Amino acid sequence: MMQEFAQQVEDTARSMIGEIHTALPGMVVSFDPRKGTAMVKPAGKYTTAEGERLEYPQIPEVPVVFPFSSSSNVGMVFPVKAGDGCLIVVSEVELDEWRSGAESSGNLKFDLTNAVCIPGLMRSGNGIVEQAISQNTVIVSAGNISMSISEAGIAIGGDLKV
């Protein structure tokens, strides 16, 4: 009897933990630069309480994170396109309240509807990453133009058009 009770408690706890989302790799499905939001698709599958493995749904209107200060209008932004890798981070609190300023009556802690998207997650390294590491430099690249910033100075390469 006690063992059955302990098993039921364990099953309930596992079921509840399965509903808590923290961070997932994903892909940008679409991006709306006017709103600063993306439709994202988490990678992988989740398991339902019944043990069924399902694809994660697409998540609409996910705020996209850029290193940018709105108050100073200073930062770095870059194109975000369908197919780009991203890290989907799920907020502990509802984002509706933060976005609108109106108090929320729901309790959607760690729910996929309260996600933010950090674009730039790569499945593997690439030549630019390897170059930055080997040369101990920061590289900003756009197509065939690049700018390297290191202790030696600033170097601009490619077909620069002024």
Side-chain angles (χ1 to χ4, degrees):
M1 179 76 131
M2 186 57 136
Q3 185 177 5
E4 292 166 353
F5 175 72
Q7 184 63 50
Q8 182 62 43
V9 170
E10 182 178 336
D11 291 347
T12 301
R14 285 187 192 279
S15 174
M16 295 302 293
I17 288 171
E19 296 299 316
I20 297 173
H21 304 285
T22 55
L24 308 113
M27 182 182 71
V28 174
V29 175
S30 63
F31 177 64
D32 183 343
R34 284 182 213 88
K35 291 182 178 179
T37 61
M39 169 86 72
V40 297
K41 174 80 169 83
K45 295 183 177 190
Y46 69 97
T47 305
T48 66
E50 294 78 33
E52 187 178 2
R53 301 263 303 150
L54 300 173
E55 294 279 331
Y56 280 101
Q58 292 183 357
I59 309 169
E61 298 187 25
V62 176
V64 175
V65 178
F66 289 102
F68 194 84
S69 169
S70 297
S71 62
S72 303
N73 202 29
V74 173
M76 183 176 68
V77 295
F78 47 86
V80 175
K81 305 218 175 177
D84 286 348
C86 65
L87 180 63
I88 301 167
V89 179
V90 182
S91 177
E92 183 177 339
V93 297
E94 291 185 55
L95 294 182
D96 289 347
E97 193 169 314
W98 167 74
R99 292 173 89 180
S100 69
E103 191 168 322
S104 175
S105 60
N107 184 17
L108 296 173
K109 278 186 154 193
F110 301 108
D111 189 82
L112 290 176
T113 59
N114 294 304
V116 296
C117 168
I118 304 172
L121 184 63
M122 298 183 290
R123 291 179 187 264
S124 64
N126 62 32
I128 295 173
V129 173
E130 291 173 12
Q131 181 183 354
I133 299 302
S134 69
Q135 296 176 2
N136 198 30
T137 185
V138 173
I139 300 175
V140 177
S141 109
N144 62 349
I145 299 172
S146 67
M147 177 176 66
S148 300
I149 304 168
S150 68
E151 289 180 353
I154 299 173
I156 297 175
D159 297 329
L160 185 61
K161 295 177 181 149
V162 181

